[in-house]
Amino acid sequence: MPNIKVIIPAYNEANSIANVIHDIPEIVDEIIVVNNNSTDDTEVNAKKAGATVLTETKMGYGYACLKGMQYIANQTKKPNIIVFLDGDYSDYPEELTKIVAPIINDNIDFVIGSRVKKLRETGSMTTPQIFGNWLATSLMRLFFGAKYTDLVPFRAIKYDKLLALNMVDKTYGWTVEMQLKTLKQKLSYTEVPVNYRNRIGVSKVSGTIKGAIFAGVKILSWIFKYSIKK
């Protein structure tokens, strides 16, 4: 089996983080939780559950992901695959095996867990989320011929390909940046249908008007930026 590491950005996920960690399959070599200024017991609970816990004081999803990557870069033994997963328990961590299978079996570079409607729990995605997803993926299909259907954070990528993407976004544009750069660098990619449930706690993005607007602006700005570069 390849060396697999999981990066979980987490902000105030004390009630869910242990569940996420416990449900991650044993094929994973290391689970890295990046505590992004949590004011609850996220750090304590993650450590008790057996994860490596890092601290990133700069607020932002991208900042947390980059912190995890920096930690891995300083390790002697590098992984083959990196999996990104949220800490709110909305995804099913045990489906990680489905996410990495195309990389292991078919040599695919990048895999997204797609939240298809028939596998989504009622209410797990808000109307703005569904519309935003549709708009972003439709624009990527129009401008770049992409076949994406989702911007979900649950994803796996070969470590060397991830490094080659030279990721820079510090906040909500992280997921779309990765997908756009995958297209630009002509990496192979696919989507795997996954289950999705109502998260534990309140979303930091879709759960607030400010978060939803900021995320939408960031995502669209990345798409239009790359459409101009085309």
Side-chain angles (χ1 to χ4, degrees):
M1 288 297 294
N3 184 299
I4 303 172
K5 293 185 184 291
V6 176
I7 296 176
I8 307 174
Y11 170 64
N12 286 348
E13 305 290 8
N15 295 326
S16 58
I17 194 65
N19 292 337
V20 175
I21 294 167
H22 289 150
D23 285 358
I24 291 175
E26 292 185 359
I27 62 170
V28 168
D29 292 85
E30 186 176 18
I31 300 168
I32 303 160
V33 173
V34 185
N35 180 30
N36 198 199
N37 280 339
S38 296
T39 56
D40 60 9
D41 288 332
T42 295
E43 180 177 2
V44 174
N45 293 349
K47 286 180 178 178
K48 286 182 178 179
T52 298
V53 179
L54 310 177
T55 298
E56 175 51 70
T57 57
K58 296 177 182 176
M59 289 298 295
Y61 185 86
Y63 273 122
C65 291
L66 289 169
K67 184 74 171 188
M69 288 177 59
Q70 181 185 49
Y71 165 77
I72 292 171
N74 291 328
Q75 294 180 321
T76 301
K77 185 178 180 181
K78 299 299 189 291
N80 305 104
I81 300 171
I82 298 293
V83 176
F84 292 94
L85 175 65
D86 275 353
D88 58 18
Y89 209 45
S90 54
D91 294 303
Y92 288 68
E94 60 268 30
E95 292 191 314
L96 180 145
T97 52
K98 291 170 54 176
I99 301 292
V100 300
I103 298 177
I104 297 171
N105 300 327
D106 304 316
N107 200 32
I108 298 295
D109 296 321
F110 175 49
V111 184
I112 293 173
S114 179
R115 299 168 291 189
V116 295
K117 185 176 181 180
K118 65 180 181 180
L119 298 180
R120 290 199 309 258
E121 188 176 85
T122 302
S124 58
M125 289 183 69
T126 64
T127 298
Q129 274 183 298
I130 295 170
F131 173 75
N133 241 18
W134 171 82
L135 178 60
T137 54
S138 295
L139 289 172
M140 284 193 283
R141 183 165 54 249
L142 175 65
F143 292 142
F144 313 106
K147 297 178 181 179
Y148 297 127
T149 65
D150 205 351
L151 298 178
V152 66
F154 196 10
R155 52 188 55 204
I157 186 169
K158 292 179 181 177
Y159 181 61
D160 60 337
K161 302 299 183 183
L162 174 60
L163 293 181
L165 294 182
N166 189 29
M167 297 289 293
V168 297
D169 194 273
K170 307 301 191 302
T171 54
Y172 301 119
W174 175 272
T175 54
V176 72
E177 178 194 1
M178 186 180 295
Q179 289 173 233
L180 287 169
K181 288 185 172 180
T182 291
L183 296 173
K184 283 292 186 179
Q185 294 191 18
K186 301 188 185 306
L187 303 185
S188 58
Y189 68 93
T190 190
E191 292 187 340
V192 175
V194 294
N195 291 277
Y196 196 70
R197 61 189 156 210
N198 285 284
R199 60 158 292 146
I200 295 176
V202 179
S203 172
K204 287 73 178 177
V205 181
S206 59
T208 66
I209 295 176
K210 178 182 177 181
I213 292 174
F214 187 37
V217 169
K218 285 286 296 202
I219 289 168
L220 292 177
S221 67
W222 268 106
I223 293 173
F224 288 120
K225 170 185 172 182
Y226 265 70
S227 67
I228 294 172
K229 285 184 176 181
K230 189 176 179 182

